[in-house]
């Protein structure tokens, strides 16, 4: 049985594609990546179809199958994805997905030559000319809290002497999130309105959020699920995972502070969540696996969350960044400014542990279920994955290159998450854009 | 515009049906009820079809349309429900649903006479011969916390001097729940396994839940939704609601205590939730509306949660009960024993307020979204809606009629929720069964 960590010829850094733009060093989508998503030609109203991104092009996978480039079995599964998302492909498991990767590499690599490029030309559309939507139907969305630096910094704001709660190093803490308001990169959402209560106020008030924030997260999508009552062993978890996206867990801090006791965040989060449209598959991530380590003295995970494979390569190195572009910057043609960077390999729990823990009580997972990783802050104060952290709870504004200041987000602000995997001797791959924009609140 | 509170000829207590069993005083399903659900003949594998219950019979609504008894427009909507749930009917709004009710009363009432009964005979199946499934596809499930007696009693277990948190009387507290593990009455689920930590233990352990509990709740199903960013005014909320079911929010108390800080309940709840298969529509509930009142001195809801209609008849009187049948009782042929009763009219927030609050931040609701009410305990200790309350946190076992004792649920226990609406001069209606059974944990 092949494992999703396994490296094969599709990861060869020397591989090049006849799609020339896939061979430039800075592309997110070289032939070693081949992320999966759902597209249609911009300006049309047809159904969305499964696709991969290669350089600056989108390859229609049903089209590729019709052109005889993919096997019949794959073509049949891909056709069932049309108009509904990648869920059917997710449900058939990792071996099918690996086969798709191998067939795509065979068709798209430079050695496939002019015949292949002529054959596939009708199935390619420039990325600039397509509309992308959510990669799958997300039945359930769960947000974890695996960023220990985030949990520590935020905990300090409330409990200076005891920032991490006693369960943190034992339990992959998570909570159910709202699925209906998950949108894809490009999402513009209204500033939420809600109840807040100032510390010195007698009663709460109702109005637009004043402390609107982003959270830098990685999203993991479930491939095959499990039956109710049947947990997923840690050794099997990787085979149930489909791939990763970037995820922005927009947060209304003032609403959160007032509402979250005793049952957790609710309206402070449910107004919008943005993910990137391209799923970087577990296979594409194989060269970027890392040992799962913890600081000396921290407890070893309980046996149900521990396995040799998880220890040896459970972590995934994704270089993460947050970029902010205000309306003034956009109007002046100024590029977004980088606010921070961190590494997903520092997550306190692995994606396999998140899945195994989630199913450990018998809860049934379904293809397309989404897990947020929790905010991925780095260890230093400059590496906060949210404005709450970067501004010390709104006390210390950050100054942008154009002189503007921010404690929290203002209307018109766009936040872009960036994710890129790099390793010595390996072709770098990226996640593509994950951008969301704040529109003014609806009031009155 | 007709409001869902409005009483019309379909509520006339003198109405009788030519389905004789619908006229017995103790039926849950007289002609004044006409709940909606999804059925197929037991033992078959065809797709589930929309239906109503009348006495001890199920009426196939697509069949009724094909027999010419329902209008073409209704028939067209009902056909799109086949195999997928009531969501299409939910999405077309309350006027369509009211029309369905009126057409059904016209066809099923005793004055419709022998022609109607002969015409419709092929569309009737005894309830005893059908299989029922979830009434709709539930995209998102939210569990509220509107039972103030429950919140107070449970709060006292943790904070004797300050049982209710400061936000309770201002915010309809809620959290996102797991949709995938919602099952319909008849659900049997495995006792969950998970992490717990004894107060005197150094480290947590992993094993079957030792404090498994039920929670007596009412579920509200959303009819028409709202666009993202567009809140639902309190005055419009009733028109967005489809109807009510009973809901058992199974809870693993020992897991909950260890995991719930700081983000709320997660695996302590996500293993199973059971709802009743028949949705009692908002129209059927019209005679049982009550004024929404609060104790003197409690704050008035903020304006976005306040309206004259909500004050005058926002509450809904549903007499609720919990019955327990242990395996020993079942083996001995003993009936379930009643553990408590309460009234949904005492909920601290109305279903309209739950919906308006949920959408107030711009979160988009979808047809078929489910809200749990939170545990509906009554004001006295004997009216606890969970074993946690009835046994004072497991300290005081209850004794069953056969001499068995319970602090929390044991394997083989079945819990049945009962809901019934009664009002002077009105025909009583009921919710039908909501039963779930505990199977042994999967271990090893």
């Amino acid at each position: 049985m092949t494992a999703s960590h396994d490296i094969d010829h599709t990861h060869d850094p020397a591989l090049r594609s006849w799609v020339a733009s896939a061979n430039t060093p800075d592309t997110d989508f070289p032939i070693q990546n081949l992320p999966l998503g759902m597209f249609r030609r911009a300006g049309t109203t047809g159904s969305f179809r499964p696709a991969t991104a290669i350089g600056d092009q989108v390859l229609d996978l049903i089209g590729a199958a019709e052109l005889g480039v993919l096997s019949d079995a794959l073509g049949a599964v891909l056709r069932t994805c049309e108009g509904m998302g990648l869920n059917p492909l997710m449900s058939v498991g990792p071996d099918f997905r690996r086969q798709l990767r191998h067939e795509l590499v065979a068709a798209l690599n430079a050695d496939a030559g002019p015949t292949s490029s002529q054959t596939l030309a009708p199935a390619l559309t420039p990325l600039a000319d397509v509309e992308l939507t959510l990669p799958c139907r997300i039945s359930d969305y769960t947000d974890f809290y695996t960023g220990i630096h985030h949990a520590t910094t935020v905990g300090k704001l409330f409990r200076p002497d005891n920032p991490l709660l006693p369960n943190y190093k034992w339990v992959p803490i998570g909570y159910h999130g709202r699925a209906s308001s998950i949108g894809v990169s490009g999402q513009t959402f209204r500033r939420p309105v809600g109840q807040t209560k100032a510390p010195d106020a007698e009663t709460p008030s109702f109005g637009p959020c004043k402390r609107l924030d982003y959270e830098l997260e990685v999203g993991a999508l479930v491939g095959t699920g499990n039956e109710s009552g049947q947990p997923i062993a840690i050794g099997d978890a990787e085979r149930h995972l489909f791939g990763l996206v970037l995820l922005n867990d927009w947060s209304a801090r003032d609403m959160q502070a007032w509402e979250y006791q005793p049952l957790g965040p609710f309206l402070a989060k449910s107004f919008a969540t943005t993910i990137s449209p391209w799923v970087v598959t577990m296979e594409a991530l194989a060269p970027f696996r890392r040992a799962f380590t913890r600081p000396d003295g921290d407890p070893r995970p309980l046996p149900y969350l521990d396995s040799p494979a998880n220890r040896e390569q459970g972590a995934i190195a994704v270089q993460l960044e947050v970029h902010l572009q205000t309306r003034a910057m956009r109007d002046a043609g100024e590029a977004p400014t980088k606010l921070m960077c961190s590494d997903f390999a520092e997550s306190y729990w692995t994606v396999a542990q998140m899945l195994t823990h989630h199913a450990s009580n018998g809860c049934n997972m379904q293809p397309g279920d989404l897990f947020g990783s929790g905010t991925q802050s780095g260890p230093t104060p400059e590496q906060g994955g949210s404005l709450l952290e970067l501004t010390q709870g709104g006390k210390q504004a950050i100054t942008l290159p154009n002189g503007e200041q921010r404690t929290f987000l203002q209307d018109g602000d766009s936040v872009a998450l960036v994710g890129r995997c790099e390793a010595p001797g390996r072709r770098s791959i990226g996640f593509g854009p994950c951008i969301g924009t704040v529109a003014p609140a609806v009031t009155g």
Side-chain angles (χ1 to χ4, degrees), chain A:
Chain A
M1 195 165 74
T2 347
S4 57
H5 315 126
D6 290 351
I7 290 182
D8 61 27
H9 71 278
T10 66
H11 303 98
D12 182 350
L15 264 185
R16 294 169 63 83
S17 173
W18 50 258
V19 179
S21 57
N23 304 322
T24 59
D26 58 340
T27 181
D28 280 342
F29 307 130
I31 191 168
Q32 291 85 354
N33 191 349
L34 301 173
L36 300 172
M38 296 292 294
F39 91 108
R40 68 181 172 197
R41 190 173 272 276
T44 65
T45 56
S47 42
F48 287 89
R49 297 168 72 131
T52 191
I54 176 83
D56 62 6
Q57 301 289 310
V58 168
L59 178 67
D60 174 357
L61 295 180
I62 295 177
E66 285 167 354
L67 294 167
V69 163
L70 298 177
S71 60
D72 290 348
L74 274 171
V77 173
L78 291 164
R79 272 191 296 278
T80 62
C81 297
E82 181 165 358
M84 76 101 74
L86 297 172
N87 305 71
L89 181 63
M90 294 168 144
S91 70
V92 293
D95 298 333
F96 240 80
R97 192 172 68 235
R98 185 173 301 106
Q99 186 190 336
L100 173 60
R101 176 177 175 86
H102 284 207
E103 293 187 16
L104 287 173
V105 166
L108 290 168
N109 84 85
D111 294 339
T115 318
S116 195
S117 69
Q118 279 169 17
T119 307
L120 276 178
L124 287 173
T125 311
L127 252 172
D129 295 341
V130 307
E131 178 187 359
L132 298 164
T133 188
L134 289 175
C136 57
R137 186 172 33 76
I138 299 165
S139 295
D140 274 295
Y141 159 45
T142 300
D143 199 19
F144 284 89
Y145 197 53
T146 74
I148 191 167
H149 306 303
H150 171 77
T152 306
T153 307
V154 172
K156 265 184 198 155
L157 295 174
F158 296 98
R159 299 171 300 273
D161 299 330
N162 185 25
L164 276 187
L165 291 166
N167 57 14
Y168 188 84
K169 295 184 176 178
W170 298 97
V171 180
I173 296 289
Y175 67 103
H176 304 294
R178 178 83 192 176
S180 73
S181 53
I182 300 171
V184 78
S185 182
Q187 183 175 27
T188 293
F189 62 90
R190 294 287 191 170
R191 174 181 296 273
V193 173
Q195 281 194 41
T196 57
K197 185 174 164 297
D200 54 348
E202 286 254 324
T203 60
S205 56
F206 184 76
C209 166
K210 291 180 182 145
R211 291 162 67 93
L212 182 62
D213 204 352
Y214 57 80
E215 289 192 343
L216 167 66
E217 303 196 15
V218 172
L221 287 161
V222 173
T224 49
N226 61 306
E227 291 298 311
S228 178
Q230 299 298 330
I232 297 173
I234 184 75
D236 296 332
E238 292 271 351
R239 286 183 60 82
H240 288 264
L241 289 163
F242 188 80
L244 303 186
V245 293
L246 303 172
L247 185 152
N248 190 335
D249 178 26
W250 305 98
S251 299
R253 302 297 180 195
D254 43 356
M255 291 161 56
Q256 188 174 350
W258 173 233
E259 76 170 1
Y260 92 105
Q261 289 280 20
L263 299 182
F266 180 39
L267 300 193
K269 302 278 191 171
S270 63
F271 55 93
T273 304
T274 307
I275 66 172
S276 53
W278 294 108
V279 187
V280 179
T281 65
M282 296 309 287
E283 289 70 35
L285 295 163
F288 311 104
R289 305 304 295 241
R290 294 287 178 275
F292 165 69
T293 58
R294 287 185 162 178
D296 285 346
D298 275 13
R300 184 165 165 167
L302 291 179
Y304 79 104
L305 296 175
D306 194 21
S307 77
N310 191 66
R311 283 197 297 278
E312 287 157 24
Q313 42 194 353
I316 306 174
V318 184
Q319 306 303 313
L320 300 168
E321 297 176 358
V322 176
H323 296 243
L324 173 66
Q325 189 184 45
T326 67
R327 184 186 289 152
M329 292 164 72
R330 206 159 43 247
D331 290 349
E334 292 164 17
T337 183
K338 182 162 94 172
L339 298 184
M340 60 74 74
C341 65
S342 66
D343 187 342
F344 184 48
E346 296 194 39
S347 171
Y348 199 76
W349 299 98
T350 68
V351 285
Q353 288 170 325
M354 292 181 219
L355 176 62
T356 293
H357 180 65
H358 205 330
S360 66
N361 68 343
C363 181
N364 55 318
M365 304 290 120
Q366 297 181 313
D369 282 350
L370 173 65
F371 303 161
S373 64
T375 309
Q376 297 298 311
S377 303
T380 70
E382 303 74 43
Q383 290 182 286
S386 64
L387 285 173
L388 185 73
E389 293 158 86
L390 292 178
T391 68
Q392 295 164 47
K395 288 199 208 82
Q396 183 99 39
I398 53 172
T399 303
L400 307 179
N402 69 352
E404 284 185 283
Q405 293 205 317
R406 285 292 180 278
T407 47
F408 291 98
L409 295 172
Q410 295 192 6
D411 293 347
D413 285 355
S414 281
V415 176
L417 310 185
V418 174
R420 211 162 154 86
C421 300
E422 296 172 351
R426 289 292 164 194
R427 184 65 159 100
S428 302
I429 62 173
F431 281 71
C434 181
I435 302 173
T437 304
V438 183
V442 176
T443 50

